[in-house]
């Protein structure tokens, strides 16, 4: 069962999400919060697998709440919800450790799929802006340190190939079709890439690829 915490300052929005998720057999809503401070408290108390986090809220916003939840070291994954596809706050939230973001008008089935994907430790980004968003999180010029070079040297040729495709914003299924591997095998490679690079998820791995110059900007 995937435990979900709903965070939005609008009661009707929270109620709408709760009704949508209530009929999904493998998802359980374990709490609701109307602001960032309450979200942090409830995340620590209820230990959800996924937090559906609104970006803009009064008081502590979703970005700061995400950073605090991640800093607490819990295995909670945060999926940001926003009205704007390139909102600057979303950039900061991903840097703070969010596992991805979706637009609030995302179709129901895509939302359910995203919750399941994030609960498994993967990341989700609105498909239309994935590469532009990831590129915007990295500095304009490559900044590769000796530590970065050492971490990259740990990757096998296949893992470097997988990292390059992660930086393109490809899903595991797309990577598999591109290099003729099963999705399960790609998942194994992705896990090894994240472990060797010390990245929390594939978003951080993609940012690492652009920041170090491993992946070229378009």
């Amino acid at each position: 069962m995937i435990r979900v915490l709903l965070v939005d300052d609008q009661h009707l929005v929270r109620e709408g999400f709760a009704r949508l998720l209530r009929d999904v057999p493998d998802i359980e809503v374990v709490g609701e919060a109307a602001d960032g401070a309450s979200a942090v408290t409830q995340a620590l108390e209820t230990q959800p697998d996924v937090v559906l986090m609104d970006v803009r809220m009064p008081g502590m916003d979703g970005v700061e709440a995400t950073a605090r939840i991640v800093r607490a070291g819990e295995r909670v994954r945060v999926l940001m919800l926003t009205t704007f596809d390139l909102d600057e706050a979303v950039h900061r939230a991903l840097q703070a450790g969010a596992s991805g973001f979706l637009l609030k008008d995302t179709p129901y089935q895509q939302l359910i799929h995203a919750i399941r994907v994030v609960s498994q430790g993967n990341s989700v980004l609105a498909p239309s802006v994935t590469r532009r968003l990831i590129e915007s999180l990295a500095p304009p010029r490559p900044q590769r340190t000796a530590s970065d070079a050492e971490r990259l040297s740990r990757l096998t040729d296949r893992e470097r190939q997988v990292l390059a495709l992660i930086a393109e914003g490809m899903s595991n299924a797309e990577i598999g079709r591109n290099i003729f591997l099963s999705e399960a095998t790609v998942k194994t490679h992705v896990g090894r890439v994240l472990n060797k690079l010390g990245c929390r998820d594939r978003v951080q791995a993609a940012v690492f690829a652009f920041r170090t110059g491993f992946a070229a900007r378009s």
Side-chain angles (χ1 to χ4, degrees), residues 2-6 17-18 21-22 27-32:
I2 302 171
R3 296 163 54 82
V4 175
L5 173 64
L6 303 176
F17 280 126
L21 299 178
R22 193 171 296 141
I27 293 177
E28 176 189 6
V29 176
V30 295
E32 298 181 18

Side-chain angles (χ1 to χ4, degrees), residues 158 162 181-192:
R158 177 64 84 184
V162 168
L181 294 176
S182 70
E183 189 170 349
T185 300
V186 171
K187 183 177 180 180
T188 298
H189 283 308
V190 170
R192 289 173 179 166

Side-chain angles (χ1 to χ4, degrees), residues 30-78:
V30 295
E32 298 181 18
D35 56 63
S38 297
V40 175
T41 299
Q42 289 209 43
L44 298 181
E45 290 179 351
T46 64
Q47 292 292 296
D49 299 300
V50 178
V51 178
L52 284 184
M53 180 81 76
D54 187 24
V55 173
R56 300 183 183 280
M57 294 179 290
M60 183 189 300
D61 66 10
V63 176
E64 178 60 25
T66 296
R68 295 193 183 194
I69 290 170
V70 171
R71 282 201 301 268
E74 306 296 337
R75 297 181 61 85
V76 179
R77 298 284 173 168
V78 180

Side-chain angles (χ1 to χ4, degrees), residues 65-209:
T66 296
R68 295 193 183 194
I69 290 170
V70 171
R71 282 201 301 268
E74 306 296 337
R75 297 181 61 85
V76 179
R77 298 284 173 168
V78 180
L79 182 58
M80 307 298 298
L81 295 170
T82 180
T83 306
F84 307 101
D85 62 358
L86 282 178
D87 186 65
E88 179 60 30
V90 177
H91 295 197
R92 293 188 290 113
L94 291 176
Q95 289 175 313
S99 293
F101 86 95
L102 289 175
L103 304 183
K104 283 190 174 181
D105 61 358
T106 295
Y108 168 71
Q109 290 299 333
Q110 288 185 26
L111 173 65
I112 301 304
H113 175 71
I115 291 173
R116 290 169 176 157
V117 168
V118 168
S119 73
Q120 295 170 358
N122 296 310
S123 55
V124 175
L125 298 175
S128 62
V129 294
T130 297
R131 184 180 172 92
R132 283 186 294 151
L133 177 62
I134 291 175
E135 284 187 358
S136 72
L137 295 176
R141 294 183 180 179
Q143 300 175 0
R144 184 179 300 187
T145 65
S147 174
D148 294 334
E150 192 278 328
R151 284 189 285 172
L152 280 170
S153 71
R154 301 174 192 169
L155 302 182
T156 65
D157 288 343
R158 177 64 84 184
E159 289 163 356
R160 292 172 71 90
Q161 190 177 25
V162 168
L163 176 59
L165 296 176
I166 289 175
E168 290 289 332
M170 292 189 185
S171 65
N172 286 354
E174 291 169 332
I175 292 173
R177 290 194 294 270
N178 191 279
I179 57 179
F180 306 106
L181 294 176
S182 70
E183 189 170 349
T185 300
V186 171
K187 183 177 180 180
T188 298
H189 283 308
V190 170
R192 289 173 179 166
V193 167
L194 299 183
N195 183 59
K196 290 180 179 181
L197 295 183
C199 294
R200 174 184 172 87
D201 54 36
R202 62 199 299 136
V203 173
Q204 288 193 354
V207 173
F208 176 92

